[in-house]
Amino acid sequence: MKRTIPIVIAFLVGMGLMLDNFITFAPLNTAAVSVRSWLVIIALFSIMVAALNLLLVHIPRIKRRQGTWVQSSVLVVFMLLTILTGVFMGTKNAVYSTFYNGILTPGSTTVNSLLAFFIASAAVRTFRARSLESSLLLLTAILLMLSNVTIGNAISSVIPVMGKWVTNVPNATAQRGLIITSSLAFVTINLRNILGLSTQWLGGKD
Amino acid sequence: MSIIAGKIFSFLVLILLSVMTVVMIRRMQKSDEPVDIRRLAGLDALEEVVGRATETGRPIHYNPGIGSIESASTGARVLGGMEVLGWLSYQCARYDTRLISTYSSPSSYAIAREVVRNGYVQAGKPENFKEETAQFLSNNQMAFAMGAISIMQRENIASNVLIGSYGAECLLLAEAGNTLGAIQISGDTNAYQLPFLIVTCDYSLIAEELFAAGAVLSNNRDVYGSLIAQDYGKIIAVALLVVGTVLVTFGNQALIQLLSW
């Protein structure tokens, strides 16, 4: 029963939401709207489970003064402060906004900017002419880089045209192939879950 | 009750694919003939991932990216990754290899936690499952990436498995794994992130291979049936592409009208 009931619920909800995309039938469409709202509510509950995991991982570490317990303390203190200010003073409060705009946003932007260096290091490692395939990749990369900067056009007006062709013809063709096969796979993996063939997500046994 | 105009053809295709899937599953259930499935280098390497981590005594890191399981666009990819995670957690439990899985989406975490715990239960070692085995980090993309990278470096991981739904964080995670010299396996269907994963990881499951991975690892004949149905779907898609190209070349719009029916 522990597994059968969730499988039956998944089947009914999955089929209902799938049919809602194609059929105009008032009771089904109304039910689908409600189910989608429940989905948001259930997802919000999972935030509590996730927050609990953070505490269960970091509080024992702080208690035992183990490893990175100082960083864990900072995390737990700021997590609780953010929750408390948000709940009791509102999300428009100056303290709450400072946590978000003064700490989280600059931190995220800094990490995001690191991507430029990571792309460079990955490119240096990859673009080596070790085989025919990697040589082709290297040549294509050079062509595309040149076609996207003004110096490419200054060298030859053919370079931007070739760059555009590579993007719009071979690249677009390969991407559409990926999209078509992925979409078919999307349908089958969802069917596997709706029909109860893949039940990894259910956890334990009956 | 009526079918929405413009969606009739896609509805019929969906019904056809569903019927084919059910028929193939039934056929596989009745037959005993062996199934020949193309070997995927990325899947074969999963055993190497567990092997290397076990031999070196270092942990395996698994991460499904920032995609959430309840989203229509990322949910299927995260579920595909979870099928691999189930197998991975079972193997880690069997060989007493440490598994650290990190999550950005709370809903993905909640389900993944059960998947991992189930792997440990199936291997008969539920006591080895710790809170650190499945860790939620942050639902902010970059905070999550930094958290995962610091765990990877601190724990000196032997293997890094990145199968799921990724955004810009995939390059940060894969480059960090590369710097550590970890064996890396990735998988996604996002054409914008796949190039980053391919150049930084040792093996990549590209697009539909991600969804086939779980089926192959499960070694379940019913699930193989769904893969065969998927291949028939591909044959139909290619046939429609060829016929459509020929018809449009000669100025015939019949197939376009049928598709938009």
Side-chain angles (χ1 to χ4, degrees):
Chain A
M1 288 301 277
K2 199 176 155 192
R3 285 167 77 89
T4 312
I5 292 172
I7 290 171
V8 171
I9 294 172
F11 177 79
L12 292 175
V13 171
M15 281 295 175
L17 288 178
M18 199 164 75
L19 290 174
D20 175 59
N21 273 310
F22 299 102
I23 290 172
T24 315
F25 180 53
L28 176 71
N29 303 139
T30 315
V33 172
S34 300
V35 169
R36 286 199 182 95
S37 313
W38 300 346
L39 198 73
V40 177
I41 296 164
I42 293 166
L44 285 173
F45 271 102
S46 64
I47 292 178
M48 291 185 208
V49 178
L52 186 67
N53 169 262
L54 270 176
L55 296 175
L56 288 173
V57 168
H58 293 281
I59 289 178
R61 199 176 286 169
I62 298 166
K63 274 186 184 168
R64 291 196 297 264
R65 300 277 195 275
Q66 179 199 26
T68 52
W69 69 274
V70 178
Q71 288 95 318
S72 295
S73 317
V74 173
L75 185 143
V76 171
V77 167
F78 274 89
M79 183 182 152
L80 294 177
L81 272 176
T82 312
I83 292 171
L84 291 174
T85 47
V87 169
F88 293 108
M89 296 155 87
T91 51
K92 299 229 164 37
N93 178 273
V95 180
Y96 186 88
S97 302
T98 308
F99 285 154
Y100 193 86
N101 298 326
I103 299 173
L104 190 66
T105 307
S108 295
T109 315
T110 309
V111 177
N112 209 354
S113 62
L114 285 175
L115 269 174
F117 301 101
F118 278 64
I119 289 173
S121 71
V124 167
R125 208 175 44 250
T126 310
F127 296 146
R128 285 181 189 155
R130 284 171 297 197
S131 61
L132 178 67
E133 288 90 347
S134 57
S135 308
L136 276 173
L137 185 71
L138 175 65
L139 286 174
T140 313
I142 292 170
L143 176 72
L144 280 171
M145 279 191 272
L146 284 174
S147 72
N148 281 300
V149 289
T150 46
I151 197 169
N153 195 31
I155 295 167
S156 166
S157 59
V158 180
I159 290 175
V161 178
M162 283 173 69
K164 205 172 267 181
W165 181 84
V166 169
T167 309
N168 293 339
V169 182
N171 177 52
T173 312
Q175 284 206 22
R176 280 171 199 168
L178 284 182
I179 291 167
I180 291 169
T181 51
S182 299
S183 307
L184 285 167
F186 268 36
V187 174
T188 42
I189 196 168
N190 285 325
L191 276 172
R192 281 211 301 261
N193 283 290
I194 288 171
L195 296 172
L197 291 174
S198 294
T199 51
Q200 292 272 14
W201 50 276
L202 279 174
K205 290 180 176 173
D206 270 330
Chain B
M1 186 168 71
S2 61
I3 302 175
I4 299 166
K7 289 187 172 180
I8 298 172
F9 185 78
S10 24
F11 185 47
L12 292 176
V13 169
L14 189 67
I15 290 174
L16 178 70
L17 197 60
S18 308
V19 170
M20 277 195 320
T21 307
V22 175
V23 169
M24 288 303 155
I25 290 166
R26 296 280 296 164
R27 189 184 281 185
M28 289 304 290
Q29 283 170 341
K30 284 178 186 168
S31 142
D32 291 331
E33 61 188 82
V35 187
D36 183 27
I37 290 182
R38 178 169 63 91
R39 302 296 301 173
L40 298 172
L43 278 189
D44 292 341
L46 270 172
E47 285 176 14
E48 197 185 329
V49 157
V50 180
R52 188 188 285 194
T54 309
E55 280 170 16
T56 56
R58 286 152 61 195
I60 296 175
H61 176 247
Y62 170 88
N63 182 300
I66 54 161
S68 60
I69 209 145
E70 76 272 17
S71 154
S73 58
T74 62
R77 285 183 265 165
V78 177
L79 269 177
M82 297 271 174
E83 290 187 331
V84 177
L85 175 64
W87 180 88
L88 198 62
S89 56
Y90 174 73
Q91 298 298 335
C92 285
R94 260 181 76 196
Y95 296 111
D96 290 325
T97 307
R98 256 184 87 204
L99 172 69
I100 304 169
S101 55
T102 53
Y103 306 90
S104 166
S105 155
S107 52
S108 300
Y109 159 73
I111 291 169
R113 187 181 191 281
E114 280 307 295
V115 170
V116 176
R117 206 173 60 87
N118 192 29
Y120 279 77
V121 171
Q122 279 183 345
K125 295 178 183 171
E127 70 283 359
N128 284 3
F129 175 82
K130 306 274 186 304
E131 283 300 325
E132 286 86 352
T133 314
Q135 280 188 56
F136 172 76
L137 297 179
S138 167
N139 52 1
N140 177 282
Q141 185 185 26
M142 292 302 153
F144 156 70
M146 274 299 108
I149 290 172
S150 56
I151 288 173
M152 285 160 69
Q153 289 179 337
R154 211 163 44 233
E155 301 286 349
N156 192 20
I157 56 159
S159 321
N160 193 20
V161 182
L162 304 169
I163 300 178
S165 168
Y166 296 89
E169 79 287 354
C170 75
L171 184 62
L172 295 169
L173 296 170
E175 267 295 283
N178 198 291
T179 312
L180 289 168
I183 177 170
Q184 302 202 96
I185 300 180
S186 63
D188 197 354
T189 64
N190 184 344
Y192 296 103
Q193 305 305 332
L194 266 174
F196 293 129
L197 291 172
I198 290 168
V199 298
T200 45
C201 295
D202 300 293
Y203 301 94
S204 291
L205 298 169
I206 300 171
E208 57 158 346
E209 291 176 352
L210 186 161
F211 302 105
V216 176
L217 291 171
S218 73
N219 204 18
N220 179 336
R221 290 183 68 82
D222 295 358
V223 181
Y224 286 163
S226 70
L227 282 188
I228 297 168
Q230 191 180 313
D231 279 353
Y232 280 117
K234 269 189 274 180
I235 294 169
I236 294 170
V238 171
L240 280 173
L241 280 172
V242 173
V243 172
T245 309
V246 173
L247 287 177
V248 170
T249 308
F250 291 102
N252 189 320
Q253 302 289 312
L255 191 66
I256 293 175
Q257 282 166 2
L258 180 71
L259 292 174
S260 52
W261 180 35

